[in-house]
Amino acid sequence: MDTTHPGGNAPRSDRFLAETHEVFNQPAALADHNLYAADRALREAVAREGAAVADAALLEFGGRIGAADYLELGRLANQYPPEFEPNDRFGHRVDLVRFHPAYHALMRTAIAEGLHASPWTEPGPGAHVARAARYYLHAQVEAGHGCPVTMTFAAIPTLRLQPELAARWEPMITSRAYDPDNRPAHEKAGLTVGMAMTEKQGGSDVRANTTRAYPVSSPGPGQPYELVGHKYFVSAPMCDLFLVLAQAPGGLSCFLLPRWRPDGSKNPMQVVRLKRKMGNVSNASAETELRGALSWMVGPEGRGVATIIEMVAMTRFDCMIGSGAGMRMAASQALHHCSGRSAFGRRLVDQPLMKNVLADLALESEAALALTMRIARALDRRAEEHEDCLVRLCTAVGKYWICKRAPQHAAEAMECIGGSGVMEDSPMPRLYREAPVNAIWEGSGNVQCLDALRAMRKTPVVVQAYFDEVARARAGSASLDRAIAQLQGELRDGPDIELRARDLVDRMATVLQAALLVQHAPARVADAFCASRLDGLGHHQYGALPPTVEFDRIIERAMPRA
Ligand SMILES: Cc1cc2nc3c(=O)[nH]c(=O)nc-3n(C[C@H](O)[C@H](O)[C@H](O)COP(=O)(O)OP(=O)(O)OC[C@H]3O[C@@H](n4cnc5c(N)ncnc54)[C@H](O)[C@@H]3O)c2cc1C
């Protein structure tokens, strides 16, 4: 039988094998785009909340980190997780964690941009807002490296409670040089800071800590101690310094522990192993043992929780930014994909039911951003009582709510992409596995709700500040006015208040988000948010917005490409 093609010499079967089908109806990867330029909600928030001067720098940054080869760093840092080497090849204890170069590249950018320090080194109007915007953009590229960046940033307010320690360490912590070498602090150009509170028997309840602190000479704030015990979760164990909780003779206290002693020997906070995490893979998290590790007391003896809470408050704020960033990237991926993919004769983005899902994902993302950037401005103006009250109450409210909304949002965005969204070569699995982490660390959901109750009981003025804040949107939406009045009636203390805490905090968060959108977002965004989150039964599934919503214009506003 003749198997050659009539027009050539290649066998017919080979020609068919080489060209079995044409690839079409598959959108290109979302890359080489400016993460900031196309994000209208972010640009408006930056201007509104006091950081308009940062707009040009953010534009440059958004373009640089949206480049395809920069986005690839995020994939690589997670594809090749950190590895732990307890000893060097000669048997010396080194507690070395090795990272892929992509992780170091991300850290270098974050620190050069001041994500770990800029509001402390250049305070002033808009400082927290500009830093939050930069962090929001960079966390869209990769989330795991944000952990040590956040802890380094957050450590400063706690460290300043012990001024002589702050004077010694702060300049090196706030340096814009990233120096990952495993060497003593005095040999390095820049330092990072971690946090070690959690033990096996309790993380939320740190009063259960059993690690003991023994004074080296005279006891008290600023004095040296040796710590003996363990820490069950120590993220970023290659940090140069750690803020640690341990039981001193006078009660649970806070300590600053360097990874190397001043004499250049290894300080014995030994890594036992790295945790095997389902998400947050690029970031190392360790179990450690403290074998007489030298450290210095920060703040008053017995006031460890009150001292370290200054740091924890800042890490909680960054969880809001990080989860909002995850939602923005998930919504961007879904919107981009559905614009380039058709089914049943129409682009997915033009199918009515998909429009409903996409618009709803965009609303959630914009609401998370609005709340986060409002708290960033409050951080910039803490000298004003109203703003300080917002920070105290609404960081707990926002951390709980935004982090809690992220996992379902990520799952829904993944579903918009269909089967390919589940595949490991898509960015969606990484976003999905990252989504629950922020809700759990830095105070899990219930702990945040209880913290909001504690703030309202201990400092009732925060409740008034909250209602003053949401009242700024009064008469902008009948749904919002009704929801505010209802909430006022239900914020009464009573024996069942803990049982109702999630429901109350849920509603405090959505009312505050609605109030911000009513004041600052286009009416179509605010109206859709109020109609779906405040009226009726509340929001239980993405894609169930009422048919009156202006779907196309909400989608157009959120599109990741200008
Ligand atoms: C990836 C990762 C990295 C981490 N890195 C660090 C780190 O660097 N440093 C560090 O110190 N810790 C770290 N942690 C620990 C983290 O902060 C704790 O896991 C968290 O605080 C919860 O503590 P736990 O795990 O002991 O859970 P538990 O305290 O046992 O809490 C379990 C559940 O009970 C709930 N709960 C607790 N108390 C109450 C109550 N009174 N009423 C109702 N519900 C309640 C909590 O909300 C939670 O849902 C990390 C955790 C993870 C997952």
Side-chain angles (χ1 to χ4, degrees):
M1 193 173 77
D2 179 11
T3 56
T4 55
H5 186 269
N9 295 328
R12 187 180 306 221
S13 58
D14 284 4
R15 195 177 78 86
F16 288 153
L17 278 176
E19 297 173 26
T20 59
H21 65 289
E22 183 192 346
V23 178
F24 65 102
N25 196 24
Q26 287 283 355
L30 177 59
D32 289 325
H33 69 306
N34 188 316
L35 295 179
Y36 183 67
D39 193 337
R40 289 193 219 173
L42 177 61
R43 292 189 76 174
E44 289 168 16
V46 165
R48 174 176 78 238
E49 307 296 1
V53 291
D55 190 64
L58 286 164
L59 259 182
E60 184 279 323
F61 185 56
R64 186 166 18 115
I65 67 173
D69 55 355
Y70 197 88
L71 294 172
E72 175 68 359
L73 297 176
R75 191 189 69 79
L76 290 169
N78 288 274
Q79 178 80 24
Y80 303 100
E83 291 175 358
F84 171 52
E85 291 178 17
N87 302 315
D88 67 12
R89 67 196 173 104
F90 306 105
H92 304 115
R93 183 90 202 180
V94 288
D95 285 313
L96 178 69
V97 183
R98 282 194 195 280
F99 293 86
H100 189 272
Y103 172 89
H104 291 305
L106 291 162
M107 285 295 292
R108 194 164 293 113
T109 303
I111 287 188
E113 293 287 330
L115 301 189
H116 69 307
S118 58
W120 316 130
T121 53
E122 293 131 50
H128 277 285
V129 173
R131 183 237 171 217
R134 267 196 192 81
Y135 192 114
Y136 183 76
L137 294 171
H138 211 230
Q140 289 179 52
V141 178
E142 207 283 318
H145 81 284
C147 174
V149 173
T150 284
M151 291 192 292
T152 304
F153 162 70
I156 295 295
T158 287
L159 195 57
R160 285 182 179 174
L161 297 175
Q162 201 58 50
E164 72 279 21
L165 291 179
R168 175 168 171 206
W169 294 106
E170 192 174 320
M172 290 172 76
I173 296 169
T174 55
S175 150
R176 297 281 179 112
Y178 172 58
D179 186 342
D181 277 1
N182 193 14
R183 279 184 289 122
H186 61 265
E187 296 176 14
K188 294 185 63 165
L191 307 179
T192 51
V193 188
M195 173 170 64
M197 300 189 294
T198 309
E199 299 186 3
K200 292 172 186 169
Q201 67 282 357
S204 308
D205 185 6
V206 290
R207 294 168 308 178
N209 277 189
T210 59
T211 296
R212 307 219 64 88
Y214 300 96
V216 172
S217 49
S218 47
Q223 295 302 317
Y225 284 72
E226 285 181 349
L227 307 190
V228 178
H230 80 283
K231 292 291 162 183
Y232 198 39
F233 285 87
V234 181
S235 284
M238 67 295 157
C239 284
D240 303 284
L241 297 160
F242 298 86
L243 283 162
V244 184
L245 288 181
Q247 302 285 359
L252 192 66
S253 308
C254 180
F255 297 89
L256 183 71
L257 185 158
R259 210 146 75 83
W260 297 77
R261 291 170 182 263
D263 64 5
S265 65
K266 196 81 201 11
N267 204 9
M269 180 170 85
Q270 295 185 343
V271 174
V272 176
R273 64 167 180 163
L274 295 188
K275 302 271 198 191
R276 293 171 56 225
K277 297 181 285 183
M278 57 81 78
N280 200 248
V281 170
S282 69
N283 176 35
S285 299
E287 294 172 14
T288 65
E289 287 177 354
L290 298 130
R291 301 172 180 275
L294 187 61
S295 56
W296 282 262
M297 187 181 277
V298 182
E301 185 171 1
R303 301 279 299 156
V305 174
T307 303
I308 210 163
I309 204 72
E310 298 290 329
M311 177 177 191
V312 173
M314 289 291 116
T315 62
R316 288 176 179 173
F317 172 64
D318 272 15
C319 288
M320 293 168 63
I321 311 177
S323 289
M327 283 195 231
R328 170 64 187 162
M329 184 46 98
S332 297
Q333 294 289 344
L335 287 159
H336 172 75
H337 180 90
C338 292
S339 305
R341 173 99 172 161
S342 299
F344 303 100
R346 268 201 285 192
R347 290 189 311 158
L348 288 172
V349 75
D350 297 324
Q351 304 276 4
L353 191 49
M354 185 57 96
K355 283 187 193 188
N356 200 323
V357 175
L358 293 171
D360 211 359
L361 291 172
L363 284 181
E364 193 68 32
S365 162
E366 180 160 352
L369 177 69
L371 176 49
T372 301
M373 296 302 268
R374 177 65 188 91
I375 301 304
R377 180 171 60 148
L379 285 167
D380 279 325
R381 301 181 181 197
R382 277 192 97 164
E384 298 165 33
E385 189 190 27
H386 173 79
E387 302 294 311
D388 191 48
C389 288
L390 282 189
V391 171
R392 175 66 191 95
L393 177 60
C394 298
T395 309
V397 170
K399 196 278 186 184
Y400 166 69
W401 180 246
I402 294 173
C403 299
K404 192 56 76 189
R405 297 292 283 173
Q408 197 194 343
H409 188 276
E412 200 63 65
M414 181 186 273
E415 190 170 328
C416 291
I417 292 165
S420 296
V422 182
M423 299 305 128
E424 289 290 357
D425 45 13
S426 150
M428 301 314 292
R430 177 150 57 93
L431 289 169
Y432 180 69
R433 284 198 294 258
E434 191 66 35
V437 177
N438 275 340
I440 293 173
W441 66 15
E442 310 306 340
S444 310
N446 290 353
V447 171
Q448 293 306 309
C449 294
L450 296 174
D451 190 45
L453 292 189
R454 192 175 308 112
M456 291 190 279
R457 275 189 191 132
K458 208 172 145 192
T459 328
V461 67
V462 300
V463 181
Q464 190 54 48
Y466 172 86
F467 283 111
D468 289 347
E469 179 69 19
V470 297
R472 293 176 180 181
R474 181 160 292 142
S477 155
S479 309
L480 178 58
D481 289 349
R482 270 195 303 276
I484 294 172
Q486 200 182 357
L487 190 57
Q488 269 166 331
E490 288 174 10
L491 265 186
R492 66 192 186 286
D493 211 340
D496 63 351
I497 187 99
E498 277 199 23
L499 287 171
R500 295 189 294 116
R502 278 204 182 210
D503 180 49
L504 284 177
V505 177
D506 282 1
R507 282 188 295 133
M508 288 177 75
T510 28
V511 163
L512 180 52
Q513 288 181 323
L516 292 167
L517 295 178
V518 164
Q519 291 172 83
H520 308 301
R524 57 187 171 276
V525 170
D527 291 348
F529 188 86
C530 292
S532 55
R533 271 69 169 176
L534 300 180
D535 291 341
L537 289 174
H539 189 255
H540 40 92
Q541 195 68 269
Y542 286 101
L545 299 174
T548 49
V549 162
E550 291 185 64
F551 298 101
D552 290 326
R553 295 185 68 199
I554 292 174
I555 287 171
E556 186 207 339
R557 175 173 168 81
M559 270 296 165
R561 280 188 197 277

